């Protein structure tokens, strides 16, 4: 069961209301503090960002003068929550670092739970609920839950939110801890609404009915105090539960966020069995979120570029000051040597060397800070590319199926989505490749130009054809021409999305990095699930799995990285095999370790080429297979070595091409 993070946006407001309106953990708020809090809450609700930030700072200045640090840091954390809700992730992360530094500088360790809590909000809204839950648990460990009940309630709510993605039962148990602490109709109805969402998504209809009954009872008895956060979503689920699908669709229309409304309508249409309409809503949702991610990326890029420019200017100033200091020191030492002799000269020289050493350490620290900013920049680009890559891959799979059809009326929306995703990737290529030039696993300027030249041609072709189809409102393109263009778009979309994905994974991986292998999985199950999950583009191919390994053999590995490794090898086979079977085989090696082999009937690789296929950006001449960057096999070998395995080409195999992952150890 998965609850999307969009349905949880209201939960941030519930957490915020507790932190903002009940900031007095040790004492009741004064009348002035209540006025401050109400003004901040009002400015946040109407979306006045400038006014909100000014009011926040004024409140913090007031609390700082009073020396009320508990309220001071909670109001500061409210700025982080606001930035997270507005998806200004870079600004939120910067604020968290400032809070941590301020707590340490003021020597207030009892408030270190606050940056952990803020990091939890940050990670959950960045689609990393596991890391968010870890941060909330760390925050709980640092507070006295008996004497700081409101802070504890806040954290229990946050933990419930994070665990809703992976452990809904535990999420409900944390909500049970909150309600005894905050018994009032507003908070109770907000929590009951959230329980309705969790239990419906879990498929627990009896629990849903029970919680809805309590929820609706509070709404009727306490209409003024009733918490309307998530009310639209609850009513959508309530009407789906009763089979009132048209009423459910009507409630979907009342949701302000268009992407969330699309997601709810998709669920309703799926429940009705109207799969084509569900697909249309899913496509529209992905398009809207892609546009949102682009807006977030622009904000983050502007902030990052500004910080890098400031740091570069500071480094230049420091270098100029260093030169001035050296020149002045040399002149001073020369005068001193003439006046007071060799002993004083040596003493001054030692002082100068010590000063230079300190400056060198400072310069090294500034360099580390600059690298940290660039690393954050690359991570932000990677997140923003994920949505357009997945959208292109989805269309590529659908268009590769000759039985898939789009209504003429639906073509415009579909191809506008393809155009938007392709242009998003195109706009991010240069900053992406520029950032990799300076990355420790970076690429050279020649390789950067190779990537640009290789990817721009299919991107331009895809955008041109997609725009032509989307703008064909008179339907002048014949069906045969349309199907030919659709096939080309499908091929280009798959090749571009795959190539950019491989480039991202290759450039952010490091053979020397320590990989946590904390997943205990079955060897056969992992191999078979990856083979089954791959959607073959070559319709002349089929897949086959066999094993001589017992199904109780389990291995300790990083499951996501192993899946990436296997999918990369299968993709390579799909690209080069001419027909027949892609055969995956698990077996035990003579040394007692295990291996996974992948065999296809592609033309055999010559001895000279076999020495080069694992080198990055090497493409075998005349392969005729499209717009690859020559990264598939090098990426697969790098992932294998990061996991402690080895990837080899079996040169003795003569009936095609055979790759083997060796050295897999049983847990």
């Amino acid at each position: 069961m998965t609850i999307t993070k969009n349905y949880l946006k209201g939960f941030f407001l519930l957490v915020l209301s507790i932190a903002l309106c009940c900031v007095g953990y040790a004492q009741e708020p004064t009348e002035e503090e209540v006025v401050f809090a109400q003004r901040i809450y009002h400015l946040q609700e109407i979306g006045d960002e400038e006014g909100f930030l000014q009011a926040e700072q004024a409140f913090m200045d007031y609390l700082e003068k009073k020396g009320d640090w508990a309220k001071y840091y909670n109001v500061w954390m409210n700025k982080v929550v606001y930035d997270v809700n507005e998806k200004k992730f870079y600004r939120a992360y910067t604020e968290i670092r400032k809070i941590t530094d301020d707590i340490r500088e003021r020597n207030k360790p009892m408030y270190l739970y606050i940056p952990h809590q803020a990091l939890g909000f940050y990670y959950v809204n960045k689609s990393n609920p596991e890391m968010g839950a870890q941060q909330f648990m760390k925050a709980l460990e640092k507070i006295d839950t008996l004497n700081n009940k409101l802070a504890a309630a806040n954290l229990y709510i946050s933990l419930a939110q994070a665990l809703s993605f992976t452990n809904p039962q535990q999420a409900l148990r944390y909500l049970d801890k909150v309600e005894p602490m905050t018994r009032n109709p507003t908070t109770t109805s907000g929590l009951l609404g959230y329980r309705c969402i969790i239990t419906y998504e879990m498929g627990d209809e009896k629990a849903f009915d029970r919680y809805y009954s309590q929820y609706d009872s509070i709404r009727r008895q306490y209409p003024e105090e009733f918490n309307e956060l998530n009310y639209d979503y609850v009513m959508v689920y309530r009407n789906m539960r009763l089979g009132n699908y048209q009423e459910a669709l009507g409630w979907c229309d009342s949701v302000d966020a268009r992407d969330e409304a699309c997601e709810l309508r998709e669920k309703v249409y799926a429940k009705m069995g109207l799969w084509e309409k569900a697909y249309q809503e899913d496509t529209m949702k992905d398009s809207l979120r892609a546009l949102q991610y682009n807006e977030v990326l622009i904000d983050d890029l502007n902030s990052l570029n500004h910080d890098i420019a400031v740091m570069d200017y500071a480094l230049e100033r420091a270098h100029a000051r260093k030169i001035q200091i050296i020149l002045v020191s040399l002149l001073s030492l020369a005068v001193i040597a003439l006046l007071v002799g060799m002993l004083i000269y040596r003493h001054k020289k030692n002082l100068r060397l010590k000063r230079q050493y300190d400056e060198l350490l400072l310069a090294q620290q500034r360099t580390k800070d600059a690298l940290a900013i660039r690393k954050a920049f690359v991570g932000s680009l990677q997140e923003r590319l994920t949505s357009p890559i997945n959208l292109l891959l989805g269309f590529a799979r659908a268009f590769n199926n000759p039985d898939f059809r789009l209504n003429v009326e639906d073509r415009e929306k579909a191809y506008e989505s393809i155009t938007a995703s392709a242009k998003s990737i195109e706009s991010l290529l240069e900053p992406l490749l520029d950032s990799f030039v300076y990355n420790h696993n970076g690429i050279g300027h020649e390789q950067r130009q190779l990537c640009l030249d290789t990817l721009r041609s299919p991107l331009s072709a895809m955008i041109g054809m997609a725009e032509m189809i989307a703008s064909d409102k008179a339907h002048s393109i014949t069906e045969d021409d349309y199907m030919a263009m659709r096939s080309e778009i499908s091929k280009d979309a798959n090749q571009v999305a795959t190539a950019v994905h491989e480039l991202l994974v290759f450039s952010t991986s490091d053979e020397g990095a320590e990989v946590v292998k904390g997943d205990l999985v079955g060897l056969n199950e992992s191999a078979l699930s990856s083979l089954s999950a791959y959607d073959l583009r070559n319709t002349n191919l089929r897949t086959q799995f066999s094993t001589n390994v017992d199904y109780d053999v389990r291995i300790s590995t990083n499951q996501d990285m192993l899946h990436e490794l296997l999918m990369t090898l299968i993709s390579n086979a799909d690209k080069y095999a001419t027909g027949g079977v892609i055969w995956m085989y698990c077996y035990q090696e003579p040394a007692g370790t295990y291996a996974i082999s992948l065999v296809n009937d592609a033309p055999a690789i010559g001895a000279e080429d076999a020495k080069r296929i694992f080198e990055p950006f090497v493409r075998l001449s005349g392969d005729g297979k499209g717009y690859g960057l020559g990264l598939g096999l090098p990426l697969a070998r790098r992932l294998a070595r990061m996991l402690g395995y080895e990837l080899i080409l079996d040169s003795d195999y003569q009936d095609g091409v055979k790759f083997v992952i060796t050295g897999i150890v049983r847990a």
Side-chain angles (χ1 to χ4, degrees):
M1 186 279 296
T2 301
I3 298 176
T4 63
K5 66 181 180 182
N6 294 293
Y7 292 167
L8 303 177
K9 187 167 74 172
F11 225 103
F12 277 103
L13 294 176
L14 180 58
V15 171
L16 175 60
S17 66
I18 293 177
L20 183 59
C21 298
C22 304
V23 292
Y25 292 112
Q27 57 186 350
E28 291 296 319
T30 66
E31 184 176 343
E32 287 179 296
E33 291 167 3
V34 171
V35 172
F36 271 120
Q38 290 174 344
R39 175 166 174 75
I40 290 170
Y41 196 84
H42 171 70
L43 290 168
Q44 181 174 355
E45 280 200 316
I46 65 175
D48 184 353
E49 179 174 317
E50 182 177 356
F52 167 80
L53 294 176
Q54 291 175 352
E56 279 274 303
Q57 190 58 53
F59 196 4
M60 289 173 61
D61 293 341
Y62 168 83
L63 294 170
E64 184 178 22
K65 290 180 181 178
K66 287 184 61 178
D68 194 338
W69 303 113
K71 297 175 185 177
Y72 175 84
Y73 289 119
N74 273 279
V75 172
W76 197 345
M77 182 176 67
N78 186 40
K79 292 171 69 176
V80 175
V81 176
Y82 177 85
D83 287 339
V84 166
N85 279 332
E86 295 300 317
K87 303 197 179 300
K88 299 181 183 296
F89 295 117
Y90 178 81
R91 195 168 77 182
Y93 186 75
T94 302
E95 286 296 324
I96 294 170
R97 291 187 62 179
K98 290 180 181 178
I99 294 173
T100 306
D101 292 341
D102 191 84
I103 291 172
R104 288 173 177 166
E105 289 173 5
R106 297 183 192 272
N107 193 23
K108 304 288 183 183
M110 69 289 294
Y111 302 118
L112 281 174
Y113 75 91
I114 287 179
H116 285 297
Q117 185 175 6
L119 276 173
F121 294 147
Y122 176 89
Y123 283 119
V124 168
N125 220 30
K126 290 268 286 183
S127 301
N128 193 344
E130 294 84 3
M131 187 67 74
Q134 291 179 20
Q135 293 297 329
F136 292 138
M137 291 299 296
K138 288 181 180 179
L140 267 178
E141 293 169 3
K142 295 182 181 295
I143 65 171
D144 183 352
T145 56
L146 293 177
N147 297 319
N148 206 347
K149 292 183 178 180
L150 286 172
N154 195 327
L155 285 165
Y156 288 137
I157 293 173
S158 303
L159 269 169
Q161 177 189 11
L163 293 172
S164 298
F165 294 86
T166 56
N167 192 340
Q169 294 291 350
Q170 184 63 40
L172 293 175
R173 285 193 285 272
Y174 277 119
L175 292 181
D176 291 338
K177 294 176 179 289
V178 176
E179 291 175 344
M181 300 180 181
T182 56
R183 291 191 178 277
N184 62 73
T186 300
T187 304
T188 301
S189 58
L191 296 175
L192 282 171
Y194 190 51
R195 286 177 179 273
C196 290
I197 294 174
I198 294 177
T199 52
Y200 187 89
E201 291 286 346
M202 289 171 59
D204 190 344
E205 296 180 347
K206 291 183 178 179
F208 174 84
D209 291 340
R210 184 171 67 255
Y211 291 133
Y212 178 79
S213 176
Q214 300 173 36
Y215 181 73
D216 191 59
S217 176
I218 294 176
R219 184 180 67 83
R220 296 175 185 276
Q221 294 181 39
Y222 307 99
E224 295 295 327
E225 298 175 73
F226 178 74
N227 190 332
E228 295 187 353
L229 292 175
N230 294 323
Y231 183 68
D232 296 334
Y233 303 108
V234 174
M235 294 309 298
V236 171
Y237 290 136
R238 172 64 174 169
N239 282 286
M240 282 200 290
R241 171 80 175 93
L242 298 176
N244 299 330
Y245 299 120
Q246 293 303 321
E247 287 83 354
L249 290 171
W251 279 103
C252 293
D253 294 336
S254 67
V255 175
D256 292 332
R258 293 177 62 199
D259 59 326
E260 296 176 24
C262 288
E263 188 164 14
L264 287 171
R265 280 193 290 269
E266 177 190 352
K267 291 176 180 290
V268 177
Y269 285 135
K271 191 79 172 177
M272 298 171 69
L274 300 177
W275 306 112
E276 183 175 356
K277 290 189 175 182
Y279 166 77
Q280 293 171 355
E281 294 295 336
D282 183 67
T283 302
M284 178 61 70
K285 173 195 68 180
D286 288 343
S287 299
L288 291 170
R289 289 180 180 170
L291 293 175
Q292 292 173 1
Y293 284 139
N294 286 340
E295 294 173 359
V296 171
L297 175 61
I298 291 170
D299 288 341
D300 285 351
L301 284 175
N302 290 336
S303 298
L304 284 165
N305 287 333
H306 174 72
D307 283 1
I308 291 173
V310 170
M311 181 164 290
D312 287 342
Y313 177 71
L315 289 172
E316 291 173 3
R317 289 283 303 275
H319 181 66
R321 285 196 301 270
K322 180 179 177 181
I323 293 175
Q324 292 173 356
I325 290 171
I326 292 173
L327 292 175
V328 171
S329 298
L330 287 173
L331 180 59
S332 299
L333 287 171
V335 173
I336 292 171
L338 293 172
L339 295 175
V340 299
M342 186 61 69
L343 289 177
I344 298 178
Y345 169 78
R346 288 179 178 175
H347 178 66
K348 292 296 182 181
K349 183 177 180 180
N350 288 336
L351 290 178
R352 179 169 57 85
L353 291 174
K354 173 66 165 60
R355 188 162 54 250
Q356 288 178 327
Y357 176 71
D358 292 340
E359 290 171 357
L360 177 61
L361 292 179
L362 180 60
Q364 289 176 340
Q365 182 59 46
R366 287 171 174 165
T367 301
K368 287 175 64 176
D369 291 341
L371 289 175
I373 290 176
R374 289 192 176 101
K375 184 176 181 181
F377 178 59
V378 173
S380 179
L381 287 175
Q382 185 173 14
E383 291 179 6
R384 302 306 170 247
L385 280 166
T386 299
S387 180
I389 286 174
N390 288 340
L391 189 140
L392 287 185
L393 286 174
F395 275 110
R397 285 192 294 268
F399 289 173
N400 195 46
N401 181 359
D403 296 327
F404 178 81
R405 289 289 187 271
L406 275 174
N407 293 334
V408 175
E409 293 76 12
D410 294 332
R411 289 181 186 175
E412 180 179 350
K413 294 180 181 178
Y415 287 96
E416 284 177 350
S417 296
I418 292 173
T419 301
S421 296
K423 287 183 176 179
S424 177
I425 291 176
E426 184 180 46
S427 68
L428 295 176
L429 275 182
E430 290 209 32
L432 171 65
L433 292 168
D434 286 341
S435 67
F436 292 155
V437 170
Y438 301 103
N439 188 274
H440 73 290
N441 274 331
I443 60 177
H445 290 281
E446 292 184 3
Q447 293 167 337
R448 172 191 178 280
Q449 193 59 46
L450 168 67
C451 294
L452 282 175
D453 293 342
T454 302
L455 293 173
R456 276 175 171 165
S457 177
L459 273 170
S460 298
M462 184 186 352
I463 291 170
M465 284 189 286
E467 288 180 338
M468 187 183 303
I469 294 173
S471 63
D472 183 30
K473 302 186 184 301
H475 311 313
S476 59
I477 299 176
T478 67
E479 186 64 18
D480 289 344
D481 288 344
Y482 164 69
M483 292 303 292
M485 293 169 71
R486 192 184 87 166
S487 176
E488 286 300 312
I489 290 174
S490 172
K491 181 186 70 174
D492 290 343
N494 180 74
Q495 291 170 338
V496 168
T498 300
V500 174
H501 174 75
E502 289 177 350
L503 179 61
L504 276 169
V505 177
F506 184 82
S507 300
T508 55
S509 59
D510 183 359
E511 282 189 27
E514 182 178 349
V515 175
V516 178
K517 297 196 289 186
D519 300 321
L520 186 63
V521 298
L523 175 61
N524 290 329
E525 287 86 347
S526 293
L528 181 56
S529 65
S530 294
L531 187 64
S532 302
Y534 187 84
D535 189 3
L536 291 170
R537 287 194 56 77
N538 187 341
T539 55
N540 295 321
L541 290 173
R542 59 188 178 88
T543 59
Q544 181 175 331
F545 176 80
S546 60
T547 181
N548 69 0
V549 177
D550 293 336
Y551 273 81
D552 62 354
V553 172
R554 300 173 73 78
I555 61 173
S556 293
T557 188
N558 184 303
Q559 191 168 12
D560 291 339
M561 191 173 291
L562 178 59
H563 178 72
E564 185 76 44
L565 164 59
L566 293 172
M567 294 295 275
T568 302
L569 286 176
I570 299 168
S571 175
N572 184 72
D574 184 18
K575 180 179 179 182
Y576 287 99
T578 56
V581 177
I582 297 176
W583 181 37
M584 183 179 284
Y585 178 51
C586 297
Y587 61 93
Q588 187 170 13
E589 299 177 293
T593 55
Y594 295 88
I596 303 173
S597 67
L598 195 77
V599 180
N600 65 81
D601 65 349
I605 299 174
E608 289 301 318
D609 288 335
K611 299 176 182 178
R612 304 167 57 237
I613 57 174
F614 292 111
E615 296 178 13
F617 301 102
V618 170
R619 296 182 293 177
L620 302 185
S621 60
D623 60 24
K625 296 297 180 181
Y627 307 105
L629 298 178
L631 283 179
L633 292 176
L635 171 60
R637 172 168 279 187
R638 174 173 287 185
L639 294 173
R641 289 179 174 174
M642 291 174 69
L643 290 168
Y645 314 145
E646 185 57 68
L647 175 64
I648 62 172
L649 170 67
D650 187 348
S651 57
D652 295 330
Y653 188 76
Q654 299 298 318
D655 295 330
V657 176
K658 179 179 182 181
F659 290 101
V660 185
I661 305 169
T662 67
I664 303 174
V665 180
R666 182 172 186 171

